[in-house]
Amino acid sequence: MPLLNAPTNEDVKLRLRPFGIFFEKSLKDLIKGIRSNNETPEKLQQFLAQALSECREEANSSDFTLKTNAVLKLTYLEMYGFDMSWANFHILEVMSSSKLQQKRVGYLAASQSFYKDPDILMLATNLMKKDLKYTGANDVVKVGIALSGLSTIITPSLASDICDDLFSMLNSTKPYIRKKAITALFKVFLQYPEALRDNFDNFAARLEDDDISVVSAAVSVICELSKKNPQPFIQLSPLLYDILVTISNNWIIIRLLKLFTNLSKVEPKLRPRLLPKILELMDSTTATSVLYESINCIVRGNMLEEGDHEVAMQCLDRLHTFCDSSDPNLRFISCVLFYKIGKINTAFISQFDKLVMRLLNDVDVSIRSKAIELIQGIVDENNLQKIVLVLLKQFVDEDVVVLQTGGHEATKEIPIFIPEQYKIKMVNSVVHICSMDNFANITDFEWYNAVLWDLAILCQDLSDKNLGYKIGEQLQSIMIKVPSMREITMTTIIKVLYSDELNTHLPGILRDSFWALGEYSSYIENGDDLIRLVLKRKQYYPANVNVVLIPTLLKIFSSWCNRPVELGRENVKKVLVDLLTHLEPLCYSKAFEVQERAVQAVEFLKLALEAMEQDTDGLPLLLTDVLPSFFNGFELKPISHGTQQKLQPNITLDCETPFLTEEELQSILNQEEQENNEILLSDDLLSVGSKSDNEQVHSDSSAEENDVMEQSPLDNTELDLRRKEERESNPFYLSREEDYTGKQNSHLLGSIGKEDNESENNMIRVNRDNDPENHMIRLNRDVDAVEKDNAGITKSRKKTKKRVHVLSDEVLMDDNPKSSSPSVRSLSTTASSARGKISLRVPTKLENFDFSKPTLSSQNESSEWKSEEVSEEQLELEKLRQKFEKQSLTINEAATGNDGDTVIVKKKKKKSNKKKGKHSADKKSNKVDESESSKDRKENSLNTLL
């Protein structure tokens, strides 16, 4: 039988707890339980739910030890995503504990939870004010705990309430408290910049503190604040410079260099004074960190100019030493500074080609990635092929790292994994360095065509499909800018067209390839075979490719039809029917632009087919004259990038004025009716009319159209003038077709079925298992050019390759010509997109704060933080001013007469506390005067420094 007065389980736990015996789960037990129940997500979730339930019961306990243990476990569970804002009041209770360990746990939990509930800060403000008061030696740790917790939960309202207490702690006799107060003020200044403006001198005085740790904290806070807004700290430059000259602490020197980096960006006058001292520091110091930060200050602080080769070489020589270090971190940051110096002027790093080539083969892939960015500064026409070969080998070859596992003879080879992002960056770099400065570094375009073909093969397995567009743009640029290499480039484009793998895995290359194929279709001899092969692979072409493919097919068909050889009507008609069969389904495409172009092409080809059926001899005029006029009116020339954007603002559209008046419209209708009558008349005279000698020369014209021309009152000269006007009215081409058409004749190129491209072969063949026919695409070449090549073949074999002519971009409008010399060149930057990234920026009001506004104690009496007594006094003064303004001039003259009488206005005293407010206002005004005088002294010293 149990005793009536026997102790319960709770009584036993309470008695044993002072001896360190706990029966509740501690944080260590919670972590062990999470690890033991981590087998399945369901089991872990069940355990966490049970632990959270126990924490709720323990938090409601009256025992502070148990409550602190619950808050500590909730702080850990908050990292698993469990909300602990419901326990904010319990956290506030733990913060108010007199035991330092419990108070520390409370402030730690408050830093993680109070930001979700701003209302709880109103209850915590008085508690924090109490904890910040230093009353004895035992309160040093308590004040430090309060300052550490305060800096993590600061808000604008809390900062305005607590800033006075923090500034009073700057005058504490304990260096530890002064140091912690300075670091806590950093978050206060971010949320409440008025505190920095009104107490700037008090805060800056800590730079002259006797304790070195306080000076270090002040320099660190100013350095971080200068990243947000460096303007207010420029006046401290003389004092900071003295510290830099006299201090021997490397940590403070590093922070000062970072600070001067931020200040020199907005104040260029600091450069002539700082640069000699930094160069002297680089020669005297042995610390690697100080040496690196000195170079970083020169580069990022805009102290290195484009023509300052001497300073650049001093920095680069030391960075070269860092790159030879065994520390990969030091090599990486050295590559970063190399790139920043190269952005100022590539001539600075041009002589470090051997170093960059060595870094391209570094064991660390991240260092290789940074070294790729330096290639643009060292590349020239002599080492371009070598650099590209090194980069392309990294796609194929597998690099290994040899490590010693035991003794000197035991080694182990570990392969280096090349990530996909590095490969994508490598392809972009190869394309960029080859095409930069209008292909200035390329002497062999046959080699570059082979490189583009290899890149296209290698990019099939990469996820970035934009690489296909870049390779296609390069093929297009070569076709436009390098006329002598168009045949070789056309061979590469046809190889791309025949590759099923490229059409499937890299469709982006097809768009520009088809454009170049159609624009220079006159280089193709058997365009009918090419059209059939393109139509057989129509399943590979997306909508954006079909937009370009439709006019390309028309251009190829037009060039093929108008060749000066007999083609056969049936062959032309068959190709025409194949084109209509391909284009008719595209008239119902979901892509609007594809649908629009397909409808236009189908309607025109239908008219041409009807004309061929009506005409039994020769080709209709629609194919021999009208279709070529669509595309061959002018020669295409390269223009500079952005020219179209410059032209757009100058284009004015008048949508109200009609194109034709009523009289002009009626005359055109009458003319069309007359022409129709003439056509009907010519049909009746077809059997009687005969062809003239001139008509027989033109084998492309039909008999019906020739009879119409014979019966028409317009002679051939007038027809030629009309055609010329039609071509000149076409805005899509820049010069006449006669400048380049007719330069080609039949000549065969190398085989494409093989992997290697042999330029000595004279035929392009593609053998497919699923294609029984052996297709052959022949390219045209000029007859005279072939004869000249054959005549001088013995001489050209011994001569070196002559540099080809590359057309330069035409600048139609240049409003802002660059005045920089062509020798100064900087590395291009690639802006990375911030979409999808997490922003870690702390919200602050310091960046856009204007420190030029008057301070709190001078003229901002109407602010919200003004006391009620001062505002009432100000209102009364305003009423008196308005009263005197309403008085007439005569009264003023009587009041201030010649006899010297004056008018004295006495204000009635209402309360005694107003007198105190007045005295406090006078004290504040005196402080303002003192601060203004100190600012004047600092400005004078700053002018002396600058």
Side-chain angles (χ1 to χ4, degrees):
M1 181 176 180
L3 298 177
L4 295 177
N5 297 326
T8 60
N9 293 334
E10 296 295 333
D11 296 335
V12 174
K13 293 179 181 180
L14 291 175
R15 292 177 183 178
L16 295 177
R17 190 166 292 144
F19 299 97
I21 301 175
F22 297 91
F23 294 92
E24 295 81 10
K25 290 182 179 179
S26 62
L27 178 61
K28 186 177 180 180
D29 298 331
L30 176 64
I31 296 174
K32 289 182 178 180
I34 291 174
R35 292 178 178 177
S36 61
N37 293 274
N38 201 17
E39 299 175 358
T40 60
E42 293 79 9
K43 188 176 181 180
L44 178 60
Q45 191 67 23
Q46 183 180 0
F47 175 79
L48 292 176
Q50 182 181 357
L52 189 61
S53 178
E54 295 175 358
C55 290
R56 286 182 178 271
E57 295 179 0
E58 295 173 2
N60 292 323
S61 175
S62 59
D63 186 5
F64 260 79
T65 303
L66 192 61
K67 189 186 294 291
T68 303
N69 187 37
V71 170
L72 186 59
K73 290 189 290 185
L74 286 173
T75 305
Y76 185 82
L77 290 175
E78 199 264 346
M79 294 188 297
Y80 281 86
F82 293 98
D83 186 22
M84 60 179 296
S85 59
W86 57 270
N88 282 343
F89 189 77
H90 301 297
I91 295 173
L92 192 61
E93 289 180 322
V94 177
M95 290 170 59
S96 63
S97 176
S98 59
K99 297 181 179 181
L100 295 180
Q101 187 63 28
Q102 295 177 356
K103 184 181 292 292
R104 178 173 174 270
V105 172
Y107 274 99
L108 174 63
S111 64
Q112 293 185 206
S113 178
F114 276 15
Y115 73 94
K116 298 179 182 178
D117 188 8
D119 296 336
I120 196 67
L121 293 176
M122 298 176 62
L123 300 175
T125 302
N126 292 330
L127 174 63
M128 292 179 183
K129 285 178 171 288
K130 180 181 177 182
D131 291 337
L132 291 176
K133 290 182 180 180
Y134 175 74
T135 58
N138 296 329
D139 292 341
V140 176
V141 180
K142 181 194 71 174
V143 173
I145 293 173
L147 288 173
S148 300
L150 173 66
S151 59
T152 57
I153 59 176
I154 200 71
T155 59
S157 59
L158 180 61
S160 62
D161 293 334
I162 213 77
C163 65
D164 292 337
D165 298 304
L166 294 179
F167 277 109
S168 63
M169 297 173 69
L170 295 180
N171 299 321
S172 175
T173 57
K174 299 292 182 181
Y176 176 79
I177 296 178
R178 298 200 302 271
K179 178 179 65 175
K180 298 286 285 188
I182 289 174
T183 54
L185 280 171
F186 170 66
K187 291 295 183 67
V188 173
F189 292 155
L190 294 181
Q191 301 296 331
Y192 188 63
E194 290 85 353
L196 176 61
R197 181 192 62 190
D198 300 333
N199 301 275
F200 189 85
D201 294 334
N202 189 13
F203 173 72
R206 294 305 97 198
L207 292 173
E208 301 176 347
D209 197 277
D210 298 333
D211 191 88
I212 192 66
S213 63
V214 179
V215 176
S216 177
V219 171
S220 300
V221 170
I222 294 175
C223 179
E224 295 299 321
L225 291 175
S226 64
K227 296 179 182 179
K228 308 294 182 181
N229 190 350
Q231 198 65 40
F233 303 104
I234 295 178
Q235 56 182 315
L236 298 178
S237 298
L239 180 58
L240 295 172
Y241 179 80
D242 293 338
I243 298 175
L244 178 64
V245 173
T246 57
I247 201 71
S248 60
N249 190 314
N250 286 340
W251 172 252
I252 299 180
I253 291 176
I254 291 173
R255 301 303 294 182
L256 285 172
L257 290 173
K258 290 181 178 292
L259 175 56
F260 279 119
T261 301
N262 300 327
L263 297 181
S264 59
K265 291 179 181 179
V266 297
E267 183 53 69
K269 294 181 180 179
L270 292 174
R271 178 185 180 274
R273 188 66 183 271
L274 286 175
L275 187 57
K277 174 59 183 176
I278 296 176
L279 294 176
E280 180 184 350
L281 182 64
M282 290 170 57
D283 295 333
S284 60
T285 185
T286 58
T288 304
S289 57
V290 177
L291 184 57
Y292 172 81
E293 201 57 48
S294 301
I295 301 174
N296 189 44
C297 180
I298 294 174
V299 177
R300 297 185 58 191
N302 300 331
M303 299 183 188
L304 182 60
E305 298 179 350
E306 293 178 351
D308 200 348
H309 289 267
E310 183 179 356
V311 177
M313 289 302 106
Q314 293 185 28
C315 298
L316 290 173
D317 289 340
R318 287 164 175 80
L319 291 177
H320 190 288
T321 306
F322 291 163
C323 292
D324 295 333
S325 173
S326 59
D327 186 4
N329 296 324
L330 189 57
R331 297 201 303 271
F332 179 83
I333 60 177
S334 301
C335 288
V336 174
L337 277 185
F338 252 101
Y339 177 73
K340 291 179 180 178
I341 294 176
K343 286 178 62 178
I344 299 174
N345 189 356
T346 54
F348 292 156
I349 63 175
S350 59
Q351 59 182 345
F352 294 93
D353 52 345
K354 295 182 180 179
L355 173 64
V356 176
M357 295 298 294
R358 188 172 73 249
L359 293 175
L360 286 175
N361 296 314
D362 197 274
V363 177
D364 195 341
V365 179
S366 61
I367 297 177
R368 292 188 184 187
S369 180
K370 285 297 177 182
I372 286 179
E373 299 175 355
L374 301 174
I375 293 177
Q376 182 182 344
I378 65 169
V379 68
D380 55 26
E381 61 183 20
N382 298 322
N383 60 7
L384 174 63
Q385 297 187 12
K386 180 182 178 181
I387 293 174
V388 173
L389 180 62
V390 171
L391 295 177
L392 293 181
K393 278 186 175 181
Q394 296 183 7
F395 270 98
V396 183
D397 299 340
E398 183 176 333
D399 297 337
V400 295
V401 180
V402 180
L403 298 177
Q404 293 183 355
T405 56
H408 295 284
E409 298 180 356
T411 59
K412 182 180 180 181
E413 293 185 354
I414 300 177
I416 299 176
F417 173 72
I418 305 296
E420 185 179 0
Q421 292 299 323
Y422 175 77
K423 295 180 180 179
I424 295 173
K425 188 174 184 179
M426 191 189 308
V427 175
N428 289 325
S429 299
V430 170
V431 173
H432 178 68
I433 62 177
C434 291
S435 62
M436 60 186 294
D437 297 336
N438 200 23
F439 304 108
N441 298 321
I442 296 180
T443 56
D444 186 1
F445 278 90
E446 294 184 18
W447 167 84
Y448 188 42
N449 273 272
V451 169
L452 293 176
W453 170 253
D454 293 337
L455 290 178
I457 297 298
L458 295 173
C459 292
Q460 295 180 76
D461 300 330
L462 301 181
S463 60
D464 189 2
K465 300 306 177 184
N466 291 327
L467 299 176
Y469 293 103
K470 293 185 178 181
I471 297 174
E473 288 176 358
Q474 291 301 302
L475 294 173
Q476 182 191 63
S477 298
I478 297 175
M479 291 294 293
I480 297 174
K481 295 184 177 182
V482 192
S484 60
M485 290 291 129
R486 285 174 182 171
E487 294 178 358
I488 297 175
T489 310
M490 185 68 74
T491 305
T492 306
I493 293 175
I494 295 175
K495 288 171 61 178
V496 171
L497 178 63
Y498 287 156
S499 177
D500 293 337
E501 292 79 9
L502 288 179
N503 294 342
T504 305
H505 302 290
L506 201 67
I509 197 175
L510 297 176
R511 180 182 176 90
D512 293 312
S513 299
F514 275 130
W515 184 92
L517 198 64
E519 189 65 31
Y520 301 97
S521 57
S522 57
Y523 285 85
I524 305 297
E525 180 180 346
N526 52 340
D528 53 342
D529 293 334
L530 181 59
I531 291 174
R532 293 189 183 97
L533 289 176
V534 171
L535 298 184
K536 285 182 180 180
R537 288 165 174 80
K538 60 183 178 181
Q539 69 274 11
Y540 298 120
Y541 309 142
N544 62 335
V545 175
N546 279 322
V547 171
V548 181
L549 180 59
I550 293 173
T552 296
L553 292 174
L554 294 179
K555 291 176 183 179
I556 297 174
F557 180 68
S558 174
S559 299
W560 174 69
C561 287
N562 293 278
R563 293 185 66 247
V565 294
E566 186 66 28
L567 299 176
R569 287 177 49 84
E570 294 300 327
N571 191 14
V572 175
K573 186 175 181 181
K574 184 177 180 182
V575 176
L576 187 57
V577 172
D578 292 339
L579 286 176
L580 285 171
T581 305
H582 171 72
L583 294 176
E584 284 178 351
L586 297 180
C587 295
Y588 306 97
S589 174
K590 295 181 180 179
F592 175 76
E593 192 169 358
V594 175
Q595 182 186 136
E596 181 182 14
R597 296 195 178 191
V599 169
Q600 293 175 355
V602 166
E603 293 299 324
F604 180 82
L605 294 178
K606 284 182 178 179
L607 292 175
L609 185 61
E610 292 177 1
M612 289 190 67
E613 292 176 352
Q614 294 176 5
D615 187 6
T616 58
D617 189 10
L619 297 178
L621 187 63
L622 289 175
L623 297 180
T624 59
D625 192 73
V626 178
L627 183 58
S629 67
F630 291 162
F631 312 111
N632 299 333
F634 299 91
E635 182 185 2
L636 184 66
K637 293 183 180 179
I639 61 174
S640 61
H641 182 71
T643 302
Q644 187 67 23
Q645 296 179 355
K646 295 179 181 180
L647 290 174
Q648 290 298 330
N650 298 327
I651 297 177
T652 57
L653 298 178
D654 185 8
C655 298
E656 297 182 357
T657 304
F659 292 101
L660 299 173
T661 62
E662 291 294 335
E663 294 78 6
E664 293 175 345
L665 178 60
Q666 190 63 34
S667 62
I668 291 176
L669 293 177
N670 296 334
Q671 184 179 358
E672 290 181 355
E673 184 177 358
Q674 182 180 359
E675 291 177 355
N676 292 333
N677 295 332
E678 292 174 357
I679 291 174
L680 294 176
L681 180 60
S682 63
D683 291 337
D684 298 333
L685 300 176
L686 274 176
S687 57
V688 182
S690 60
K691 297 183 179 179
S692 63
D693 295 337
N694 188 24
E695 292 170 344
Q696 291 177 359
V697 174
H698 302 283
S699 60
D700 298 336
S701 302
S702 63
E704 179 182 356
E705 293 170 341
N706 289 329
D707 291 337
V708 171
M709 294 174 61
E710 184 180 1
Q711 298 295 331
S712 175
L714 300 175
D715 56 357
N716 293 334
T717 304
E718 190 170 352
L719 284 176
D720 292 337
L721 291 175
R722 282 194 175 185
R723 293 169 185 170
K724 183 178 179 181
E725 292 176 357
E726 290 177 0
R727 290 173 181 175
E728 292 178 352
S729 62
N730 191 341
F732 299 105
Y733 294 87
L734 298 178
S735 67
R736 295 291 304 273
E737 174 194 11
E738 289 79 5
D739 297 337
Y740 69 97
T741 57
K743 289 183 180 179
Q744 305 84 12
N745 74 327
S746 59
H747 189 77
L748 304 180
L749 293 183
S751 174
I752 289 183
K754 301 178 182 180
E755 293 181 359
D756 55 340
N757 182 17
E758 300 177 358
S759 60
E760 296 180 357
N761 292 341
N762 296 326
M763 189 176 297
I764 302 176
R765 296 179 180 272
V766 178
N767 296 324
R768 300 287 177 187
D769 297 336
N770 55 358
D771 191 359
E773 299 180 0
N774 188 11
H775 295 287
M776 192 168 53
I777 304 302
R778 298 181 296 274
L779 303 184
N780 294 331
R781 293 184 64 187
D782 188 67
V783 178
D784 297 333
V786 174
E787 294 177 356
K788 291 179 182 178
D789 293 341
N790 295 332
I793 191 170
T794 57
K795 299 181 180 179
S796 61
R797 285 178 180 176
K798 297 181 180 180
K799 294 181 180 180
T800 58
K801 291 185 177 180
K802 188 177 181 180
R803 191 179 186 89
V804 299
H805 176 64
V806 180
L807 300 179
S808 59
D809 294 335
E810 305 233 356
V811 181
L812 301 183
M813 296 179 62
D814 193 2
D815 297 333
N816 298 320
K818 295 183 179 180
S819 59
S820 60
S821 60
S823 60
V824 177
R825 191 161 48 87
S826 61
L827 297 178
S828 61
T829 57
T830 55
S832 59
S833 177
R835 183 180 300 175
K837 296 183 179 180
I838 300 175
S839 177
L840 300 179
R841 288 176 57 88
V842 179
T844 173
K845 299 181 180 179
L846 185 65
E847 295 180 358
N848 301 322
F849 185 76
D850 187 7
F851 283 87
S852 61
K853 292 182 178 180
T855 59
L856 177 147
S857 57
S858 59
Q859 296 182 6
N860 281 342
E861 290 85 3
S862 59
S863 302
E864 296 180 356
W865 32 260
K866 276 290 184 180
S867 61
E868 183 178 359
E869 292 81 7
V870 176
S871 61
E872 290 180 358
E873 183 178 357
Q874 183 65 24
L875 291 175
E876 187 173 355
L877 290 175
E878 290 294 335
K879 292 179 180 179
L880 288 175
R881 292 192 184 100
Q882 294 177 2
K883 182 178 179 181
F884 280 109
E885 288 176 357
K886 293 180 180 179
Q887 292 179 354
S888 62
L889 182 61
T890 56
I891 299 177
N892 291 334
E893 292 176 353
T896 58
N898 295 328
D899 55 355
D901 294 339
T902 59
V903 178
I904 300 175
V905 180
K906 293 184 177 180
K907 185 177 66 173
K908 187 177 182 181
K909 299 180 180 179
K910 294 183 178 180
K911 295 182 180 180
S912 60
N913 55 358
K914 290 188 177 180
K915 184 183 296 183
K916 296 180 180 179
K918 185 176 181 180
H919 289 304
S920 61
D922 294 337
K923 291 180 180 180
K924 290 183 180 179
S925 62
N926 294 331
K927 290 182 180 179
V928 172
D929 296 336
E930 294 176 359
S931 63
E932 290 179 353
S933 61
S934 62
K935 288 181 180 179
D936 294 337
R937 291 194 300 271
K938 290 182 178 180
E939 289 179 357
N940 294 331
S941 60
L942 176 62
N943 295 329
T944 304
L945 174 64
L946 300 179

